Amino acid sequence: MKDKLLNLLNTVLVADVFLVLISFGWFVIAVIGRSTGIPLGLDLWYRLWEPLFTPAIGVLMAGALLSGITSWVSRKLEVRQ
C-alpha cells in the first residue's frame, strides 16, 4: 500500500513539474511578446496565476518535502531492522 501511494505521489509530482515548467516557458514567451508588441497571452497568464500556477507551485514544494521525508523515514526504519 505504501509503495502504491509513493508511486502515485511521484506521478502527481512529475505531472506538476511539467505544468510548472510549461507555465514558466509560457510566461517567458509572453513577456518577450509583450516587449515586442505581439500579444502572446500574458494577460491570460496573469489571470491564471492565482487560481492555477500558485497552487501548482505549492503542491510541488509540499510534495517534494513529503517525498523526501517519507524516503528518509523509510531508510531510518530499514536501518533499525
Side-chain angles (χ1 to χ4, degrees):
M1 178 68 178
K2 183 187 83 164
D3 291 333
K4 283 187 178 184
L5 186 62
L6 287 177
N7 285 337
L8 178 65
L9 176 64
N10 287 334
T11 303
V12 169
L13 288 176
V14 168
D16 197 37
V17 164
F18 282 112
L19 174 65
V20 169
L21 289 175
I22 289 169
S23 69
F24 177 70
W26 179 13
F27 176 71
V28 169
I29 290 168
V31 167
I32 292 170
R34 170 72 58 96
S35 68
T36 60
I38 303 169
L40 294 176
L42 187 60
D43 295 330
L44 176 60
W45 191 93
Y46 278 134
R47 282 187 295 206
L48 291 175
W49 170 251
E50 202 57 42
L52 181 64
F53 301 138
T54 303
I57 293 169
V59 166
L60 181 63
M61 294 169 68
L65 288 173
L66 182 63
S67 179
I69 290 170
T70 304
S71 66
W72 180 77
V73 167
S74 294
R75 277 188 274 134
K76 290 293 182 182
L77 290 175
E78 287 176 3
V79 169
R80 288 186 183 179
Q81 293 175 354

